Amino acid sequence: MINDAIDELKNEIGEDNVLTSMFERVPRAMAHCIFPMHKWRDHIPDAVVTPESTEDVVKIVKIANKYKIPLVPRSGGSGLADGALPLKRGIVVDLLKMNRIIEIDLDNYTATVEAGISLDELGRELIKYGYVYPDYPASRHAAFVCARIATNGWSYLSGYYGHTEDLILSFEVVLPTGEVAHIGGGTGGKIRKSSSGYNLKSLFLGSQGTLGIITKATVEIFPAPEVEYPAYWGFRRFEDAYKALGMLQKSGVSCAGGWGLFDEKRVEFYRRDLDFYIDLSEDIKVVVFWWLYGNEDEVEVARKRLFKICEEANGTFFGEEVSQKAWAARHETSVPPVHGRKDGNVVPMVWVMEDPAVNYTEIPELRLKWHNIIEKYGFDDWGLIFVSNRRSKRGEYLAGIMIGVDETEFLENESRWEDYVSCRRDLLNAALDAGGSLSAGHGAVEKGKVELIRREFGDETFKLMLRIKKLLDPNNIMNPGKYLLDLAYGGDLIE
Ligand SMILES: Cc1cc2nc3c(=O)[nH]c(=O)nc-3n(C[C@H](O)[C@H](O)[C@H](O)COP(=O)(O)OP(=O)(O)OC[C@H]3O[C@@H](n4cnc5c(N)ncnc54)[C@H](O)[C@@H]3O)c2cc1C
């Protein structure tokens, strides 16, 4: 069956766009997420296709439907939720060849790109005109503009510009049965606010390739800010740092990209592994940081106000040079492989991050619960980061739990993988107990997390999700095995 489909694909989209060698398939099974290495071979796709246009994607989807073969969209492969992993094998749709920037409209502040354009590529083009697309994950170098819709991404600059969901105006999506739908943005795709009918944009946000393949998007662009001013502050006590965060929330400063906090364990990890933290005085235990964006005059006024807040809360400013370095390093501190500690020795480890969203009032108690859970399971605790999560920067935080994991342990001992899954489940159940959400930006797809979607949504809402999936994708070809959606077809859960 797969061979018939491959022959048909070669006829329809050209031999060069259908890849079947092991050499070409293996890299498309790789993902940044933690995954049991001993099961990795089970998820190498049967083939990879590299469409060059929306028409190619339509042909691929129709052939996959005819033979009922799974399709898994793949962009930068930097997703942290197993999303691009072909859990049921099938065909990976690698979108890299759809790499045109279709239009930059400086008068209406929009850019339109194909699915194979990364945030970095768009950024490099826009800056030539003095503009930016301010969707700003730490993975900006690797993440793609359209994939950000599929993951409903979280941006470091959301306090000033909003997240992916605020910045996407419209997109084109090839539905699971091969029709092409244009979602949002009025007839020209550039309208920001409309109340004509259902808001279908939201349906595809966070869909992780289960509802179709997004082939084109129009996004909002902005003039580049005159000033970017990050400031890092050291605190001797968690309580003071937490209070400072509360006062920053009240400040009413609108030109802040956001603010956040590294707790004691995170600072310990940085001091151990990151040069510029090593010289900091040992009595600094917790770090609060904020970053301002905008015109020089507004940033200057805001800077004074935020300095006063941190000084009054007993904070110590690290200075501009260290702050600039620390801010720039947000793209580097988490790229695996990183070294961790096991039995006192330095060993290569992968970086794992859970990213629930929680309210401000829950932070102190949850923090202690989380450290206890990681200790109980014996993983390397790389500490916590709390970052403001909305444009208002008030009340709600992305709560990042960083863990170092030696994946070779899973090869040696299957039960260690089960430990990891239980640890993740305990951490996330604690976030749900605190009224939170499983994920602020990565998605809730992996084992240990995906089972808890039913708890977060409630049974009726989860059933609604199943009904929508089956309606749009009657043959379950789009990224099967994700989000427990196989239940809509009476299928099994993920391995
Ligand atoms: C070091 C590091 C730091 C990170 N920091 C952040 C951060 O700060 N904020 C944040 O939000 N994320 C972060 N991430 C996670 C990741 O970069 C984002 O989830 C990103 O949106 C994934 O984009 P991608 O192009 O790599 O998508 P992929 O990994 O290729 O795919 C992700 C999911 O989207 C689906 N998909 C991909 N393209 C399409 C398409 N065109 N149509 C439909 N479905 C599609 C895939 O099937 C998969 O389910 C980080 C990752 C790393 C490795």
Side-chain angles (χ1 to χ4, degrees):
M1 195 167 65
I2 183 75
N3 290 336
D4 294 339
I6 287 172
D7 287 344
E8 237 172 273
L9 283 164
K10 283 182 179 166
N11 280 338
E12 291 287 342
I13 64 168
E15 297 226 355
D16 288 353
N17 288 326
V18 184
L19 314 176
T20 51
S21 77
M22 200 63 168
F23 174 68
E24 288 153 328
R25 289 186 289 135
V26 167
R28 270 78 172 201
M30 290 176 177
H32 268 280
C33 46
I34 184 163
F35 189 74
M37 282 163 76
H38 53 300
K39 294 193 174 159
W40 186 57
R41 278 186 164 271
D42 305 344
H43 303 291
I44 295 172
D46 300 305
V48 175
V49 288
T50 54
E52 296 182 29
S53 62
T54 302
E55 293 70 37
D56 281 356
V57 175
V58 170
K59 288 174 189 164
I60 293 163
V61 170
K62 289 195 168 157
I63 292 169
N65 258 301
K66 180 171 158 192
Y67 292 99
K68 300 196 173 43
I69 294 174
L71 286 181
V72 182
R74 182 182 175 94
S75 293
S78 73
L80 293 174
D82 279 0
L85 206 69
L87 283 181
K88 305 269 163 121
R89 302 185 76 127
I91 298 170
V92 164
V93 184
D94 182 329
L95 293 154
L96 262 63
K97 283 192 188 166
M98 294 181 63
N99 59 1
R100 283 185 315 138
I101 295 178
I102 297 166
E103 186 194 44
I104 291 176
D105 178 347
L106 299 180
D107 296 321
N108 293 308
Y109 298 86
T110 67
T112 303
V113 300
E114 285 187 329
I117 289 291
S118 71
L119 293 172
D120 227 21
E121 283 165 327
L122 178 58
R124 282 203 301 272
E125 192 56 30
L126 286 174
I127 205 67
K128 292 179 190 164
Y129 307 96
Y131 281 71
V132 294
Y133 175 50
D135 184 1
Y136 228 98
S139 54
R140 194 176 160 86
H141 50 283
F144 283 55
V145 176
C146 292
R148 299 286 294 155
I149 304 170
T151 59
N152 200 6
W154 180 92
S155 169
Y156 262 104
L157 302 186
S158 63
Y160 194 48
Y161 298 104
H163 289 298
T164 312
E165 62 195 35
D166 306 301
L167 298 167
I168 293 284
L169 306 183
S170 67
F171 49 89
E172 174 185 89
V173 55
V174 178
L175 297 171
T177 37
E179 299 84 6
V180 180
H182 297 272
I183 310 283
T187 51
K190 297 180 185 174
I191 298 300
R192 284 143 177 92
K193 170 79 178 80
S194 154
S195 64
S196 314
Y198 297 156
N199 179 354
L200 293 175
K201 252 200 272 183
S202 297
L203 180 61
F204 291 86
L205 283 158
S207 56
Q208 297 274 357
T210 61
L211 295 180
I213 302 179
I214 298 157
T215 42
K216 198 165 92 176
T218 298
V219 300
E220 181 161 23
I221 61 173
F222 295 76
E226 284 173 15
V227 180
E228 176 190 62
Y229 187 92
Y232 282 64
W233 294 75
F235 288 81
R236 280 147 195 86
R237 292 176 349 119
F238 176 83
E239 292 69 22
D240 289 340
Y242 177 66
K243 193 170 146 210
L245 211 58
M247 282 152 52
L248 289 168
Q249 295 186 127
K250 279 200 187 133
S251 69
V253 165
S254 60
C255 67
W259 34 68
L261 176 155
F262 296 135
D263 84 338
E264 293 96 328
K265 285 272 182 197
R266 190 79 191 140
V267 172
E268 257 174 48
F269 171 75
Y270 277 147
R271 195 170 264 132
R272 189 175 89 177
D273 286 333
L274 223 62
D275 285 352
F276 54 82
Y277 275 86
I278 288 169
D279 292 337
L280 293 177
S281 118
E282 280 289 331
D283 60 346
I284 287 182
K285 304 290 183 206
V286 181
V287 170
V288 168
F289 52 104
W290 40 263
W291 49 103
L292 299 171
Y293 273 70
N295 296 338
E296 229 165 82
D297 39 5
E298 60 180 340
V299 166
E300 185 49 27
V301 173
R303 193 182 68 83
K304 283 188 188 138
R305 186 176 279 233
L306 300 193
F307 257 68
K308 191 161 176 272
I309 287 175
C310 288
E311 281 162 358
E312 281 176 8
N314 301 320
T316 306
F317 183 43
F318 286 180
E320 290 187 357
E321 195 186 331
V322 173
S323 294
Q324 289 287 350
K325 271 165 77 185
W327 179 235
R330 72 197 178 284
H331 298 299
E332 290 146 27
T333 47
S334 37
V335 178
V338 219
H339 48 288
R341 299 289 193 282
K342 197 164 110 185
D343 304 327
N345 297 316
V346 176
V347 293
M349 283 191 177
V350 290
W351 160 74
V352 190
M353 176 178 166
E354 303 300 340
D355 72 326
V358 300
N359 289 121
Y360 174 75
T361 48
E362 305 301 320
I363 290 176
E365 202 182 320
L366 197 58
R367 173 180 84 98
L368 299 177
K369 274 192 191 162
W370 275 340
H371 287 310
N372 287 339
I373 292 170
I374 298 170
E375 193 183 346
K376 181 178 123 195
Y377 286 97
F379 292 107
D380 201 13
D381 188 341
W382 290 359
L384 309 180
I385 172 178
F386 294 93
V387 197
S388 54
N389 195 27
R390 299 297 310 161
R391 212 179 255 176
S392 70
K393 303 173 283 287
R394 287 192 200 100
E396 183 187 320
Y397 286 77
L398 176 153
I401 317 157
M402 317 277 181
I403 308 174
V405 178
D406 174 4
E407 279 180 307
T408 58
E409 282 190 348
F410 305 153
L411 286 173
E412 290 156 16
N413 185 355
E414 170 87 27
S415 71
R416 205 54 190 135
W417 166 246
E418 293 307 326
D419 280 352
Y420 178 72
V421 173
S422 300
C423 176
R424 170 186 275 162
R425 203 173 286 135
D426 288 0
L427 291 166
L428 294 171
N429 260 321
L432 294 185
D433 290 344
S437 168
L438 295 169
S439 173
H442 297 159
V445 184
E446 321 92 295
K447 196 173 175 194
K449 188 191 283 187
V450 72
E451 311 87 281
L452 303 180
I453 288 189
R454 287 169 88 157
R455 180 171 174 215
E456 178 175 337
F457 280 21
D459 275 348
E460 285 314 313
T461 311
F462 182 67
K463 277 190 222 156
L464 184 60
M465 205 165 135
L466 297 182
R467 287 209 292 274
I468 291 170
K469 167 70 176 172
K470 196 162 181 190
L471 182 71
L472 292 187
D473 187 4
N475 293 320
N476 196 17
I477 61 154
M478 285 309 311
N479 214 352
K482 305 287 162 62
Y483 278 147
L484 304 185
L485 292 168
D486 288 2
L487 288 173
Y489 310 85
D492 51 351
L493 303 186
I494 55 166
E495 282 300 303

